[in-house]
Amino acid sequence: MAKPFQPGGAEAISEAYQDVRRDDTETNWALFGYDGKFIVHVKSGVDYQELLGLLDDDGRNYIFVRFETGDEMSRRKKFALITWIGNAVSPLKKAKVSTDKAFVKEIITSFGKEFLVEGDKNELKEEKVLKELERASGAAYGTGGPLICTAYLCTQNSMLCRSVNFFFPYV
């Protein structure tokens, strides 16, 4: 099967992907779409709301996005791959998205969560995507409040017992 990229198109997509992944750039997202039957890099940017404004009802897009997650103890960058299919996309073009996505994922290989969104931009609200990324990342180490555990240390004959509090400030 022929890959859905123009000559040099896969390299342009790879460069945009790497730009989002790099720590030394402010680029937070890269948008890919179709030019005819080929997948192309459409635009990259910083503002997530600007990205959402670029998604159309007749659009088929792949989005690679970076968010910063974590808490006051640990900040981490998390990445998502979002597939957007607008409400006005024909069934044949929708089907083509699923096969083309396999080629896109040969280039965009590292992400914490994948989303498929069909026509509902509310599913792409920043808070909602960020929450799903945090859930997918596993452990959370925030200071949700101190945890105090009490243990009782007793002597062998159980005549002398005293309590000891263990304080775990980061739960």
Side-chain angles (χ1 to χ4, degrees):
M1 177 185 269
K3 292 189 177 186
F5 307 115
Q6 296 174 336
E11 291 79 12
I13 290 170
S14 179
E15 287 174 21
Y17 161 67
Q18 292 301 330
D19 188 41
V20 174
R21 289 200 50 82
R22 276 198 296 274
D23 289 334
D24 62 342
T25 70
E26 292 185 8
T27 305
N28 287 327
W29 54 265
L31 175 67
F32 311 101
Y34 286 85
D35 182 10
K37 62 180 182 177
F38 297 112
I39 299 171
V40 297
H41 174 232
V42 176
K43 187 174 183 178
S44 293
V46 176
D47 182 36
Y48 188 74
Q49 296 306 314
E50 176 190 359
L51 165 67
L52 294 181
L54 296 172
L55 302 177
D56 296 324
D57 274 344
D58 62 346
R60 298 174 292 155
N61 299 99
Y62 307 95
I63 306 156
F64 183 67
V65 64
R66 170 177 64 190
F67 289 99
E68 191 168 309
T69 67
D71 49 50
E72 65 280 358
M73 299 303 298
S74 174
R75 301 300 295 169
R76 303 172 286 289
K77 290 183 175 47
K78 296 294 178 186
F79 301 92
L81 176 62
I82 301 169
T83 303
W84 165 261
I85 302 172
N87 285 325
V89 174
S90 72
L92 280 174
K93 287 184 177 180
K94 281 183 184 180
K96 184 83 170 121
V97 166
S98 65
T99 57
D100 287 348
K101 184 168 40 171
F103 293 112
V104 170
K105 288 168 74 174
E106 287 178 4
I107 300 169
I108 300 174
T109 58
S110 183
F111 48 90
K113 179 85 175 157
E114 183 175 353
F115 298 86
L116 172 62
V117 180
E118 293 190 38
D120 185 4
K121 285 188 185 179
N122 288 324
E123 293 295 314
L124 291 177
K125 285 185 179 177
E126 189 170 358
E127 303 81 32
K128 192 168 192 168
V129 173
L130 190 55
K131 184 177 179 181
E132 287 298 317
L133 276 172
E134 287 172 346
R135 286 181 57 208
S137 69
Y141 301 105
T143 57
L147 174 64
I148 300 173
C149 297
T150 302
Y152 293 94
L153 303 175
C154 300
T155 60
Q156 191 174 22
N157 62 11
S158 296
M159 297 297 286
L160 298 171
C161 290
R162 68 183 185 111
S163 66
V164 178
N165 290 331
F166 296 94
F167 182 72
F168 299 94
Y170 305 111
V171 178

